[in-house]
Amino acid sequence: MATPAHCIYCFESLYSSLQGSEPPILRVIEKLWEQYNMAKLEGEQYDEREDDEDGPNEMETDGESDLTEDPPPPTSLRAPTINRLIAPSPSSGSSSSTPSLVSTSSSSRDLASASSKSSSNSSFFSFGRSTRSLRPPPRSAEDDRPLFVTWNTVSRSGNRTLRGCIGTFEAQELSEGLRSYALTSAFDDSRFPPIAKRELPSLEVGVTLLTDFEPAPTPLSWDLGTHGLRISFTYHSRRYGATYLPFVPIDQGWTKEETLISLMRKAGWIGRKEEWRKVGDLKVVRYQGRKVSVGYEEWREWRDWCDGTDAC
């Protein structure tokens, strides 16, 4: 199942590409996301205790105050600064598809200040022995998943507009697959221009890991909100195919039949909608996958937390 840490990793991959810096390490980010949430929980619990202790002290008399000091706030969990989370530089160098940088707008909350802490020479291995506690167990091939990465722009009123969505039905090692498709959907979706750095503050990223592929007994043998669809059919002696992720018909408010007709249109079918059942050799594969999304503000808050802690 996709997690917010996967989305954070996609944001980091996009940001490092736009900055021309080294990519992050998924396993380290997953561990830091866990620590970040533990730190937030500690802080919330401390705030609740503070609220409970607010109010007049009934034990005070004759103007004398209680001299007992409040306990200090909980110590933040320590984590490496963000410039230490990057992967070692490959010998082949960075990807040639990285676009030129666009100047940051004032609404980007001083993104440049975060990038100033990054160093092209820094490496995960510069932690040495102190990073061993951040290293999860070795990955297994069972962790590989087909996946899709979706970028949306979010308006000030909260309206979401698709900005790019590309994925694969071939099982991917998550670190490589998420980074690759985070960048592919950001820069190479032919429906949109490449995402520019100035757009970062308006972005939201969603990750969907796909599971449970099975042929549908009939074209309508699937459930809205549960199944995604992958169709293929023959029309005018040509083979067509397309897919919708599980959240698409829900977001659009479609019925099952409307979803299937729209998907056939997406594949290239131009027949009358009343005649969709006549299309020859229509095959439907259903699958499952829950999209998890993280917006810019949440990513920025996590990144500020990482930058604000001491290096290991």
Side-chain angles (χ1 to χ4, degrees):
M1 180 181 295
T3 68
H6 294 150
C7 298
I8 294 292
Y9 179 69
C10 290
F11 254 117
E12 283 294 315
S13 297
L14 175 61
Y15 182 73
S16 64
S17 179
L18 291 169
Q19 288 294 108
S21 57
E22 298 294 341
I25 297 174
L26 174 59
R27 297 266 166 172
V28 176
I29 285 182
E30 288 176 324
K31 193 66 177 179
L32 290 176
W33 177 255
E34 178 183 347
Q35 293 181 352
Y36 165 72
N37 281 285
M38 290 174 62
K40 282 183 65 176
L41 180 60
E42 266 193 19
E44 290 169 359
Q45 291 173 343
Y46 177 77
D47 289 341
E48 290 176 0
R49 291 197 298 269
E50 285 277 280
D51 292 340
D52 292 341
E53 294 172 3
D54 284 346
N57 190 337
E58 296 180 357
M59 299 298 294
E60 292 181 6
T61 57
D62 300 330
E64 294 181 358
S65 61
D66 187 352
L67 298 180
T68 304
E69 296 182 357
D70 291 335
T75 303
S76 304
L77 293 175
R78 297 303 176 92
T81 50
I82 199 69
N83 59 300
R84 303 294 184 103
L85 305 183
I86 57 176
S89 176
S91 58
S92 59
S94 59
S95 170
S96 60
S97 64
T98 303
S100 60
L101 297 180
V102 180
S103 60
T104 309
S105 66
S106 59
S107 62
S108 64
R109 297 179 55 191
D110 298 324
L111 281 170
S113 65
S115 64
S116 66
K117 299 183 181 180
S118 300
S119 168
S120 60
N121 296 323
S122 59
S123 165
F124 170 74
F125 298 105
S126 64
F127 284 121
R129 297 172 62 183
S130 63
T131 55
R132 290 179 182 174
S133 62
L134 292 176
R135 296 175 185 172
R139 60 167 293 271
S140 165
E142 295 180 356
D143 297 332
D144 297 357
R145 290 284 185 271
L147 58 89
F148 275 74
V149 177
T150 304
W151 292 101
N152 289 323
T153 55
V154 184
S155 68
R156 293 183 178 180
S157 61
N159 292 325
R160 287 167 173 78
T161 304
L162 182 64
R163 190 61 181 82
C165 182
I166 296 180
T168 178
F169 288 104
E170 296 183 7
Q172 301 286 305
E173 189 277 315
L174 286 184
S175 179
E176 176 60 31
L178 287 172
R179 185 176 75 239
S180 174
Y181 284 95
L183 299 182
T184 301
S185 58
F187 300 138
D188 298 326
D189 190 324
S190 60
R191 297 169 292 179
F192 309 97
I195 289 177
K197 184 179 175 182
R198 58 180 168 78
E199 296 180 76
L200 278 173
S202 68
L203 291 180
E204 175 188 79
V205 66
V207 172
T208 309
L209 303 185
L210 311 182
T211 62
D212 301 307
F213 289 82
E214 56 185 355
T218 71
L220 296 178
S221 296
W222 51 276
D223 296 323
L224 285 167
T226 298
H227 294 109
L229 303 178
R230 185 182 187 185
I231 66 169
S232 61
F233 58 90
T234 301
Y235 182 63
H236 289 173
S237 301
R238 290 185 58 186
R239 197 70 183 162
Y240 296 86
T243 189
Y244 273 153
L245 297 174
F247 62 86
V248 172
I250 300 300
D251 288 351
Q252 299 298 324
W254 292 333
T255 65
K256 292 167 67 172
E257 186 168 348
E258 288 171 339
T259 300
L260 197 58
I261 293 171
S262 175
L263 187 53
M264 293 173 68
R265 297 279 194 220
K266 178 183 178 182
W269 181 62
I270 57 174
R272 297 175 59 185
K273 64 179 183 179
E274 298 84 3
E275 298 178 348
W276 71 267
R277 296 177 187 271
K278 298 180 181 179
V279 173
D281 195 25
L282 174 60
K283 295 180 180 179
V284 177
V285 173
R286 64 192 183 192
Y287 58 86
Q288 299 184 40
R290 185 174 70 90
K291 184 177 75 167
V292 175
S293 299
V294 166
Y296 171 85
E297 291 296 333
E298 190 172 3
W299 167 71
R300 185 72 252 182
E301 183 178 317
W302 174 84
R303 186 172 240 277
D304 289 344
W305 173 81
C306 289
D307 285 340
T309 56
D310 294 336
C312 291

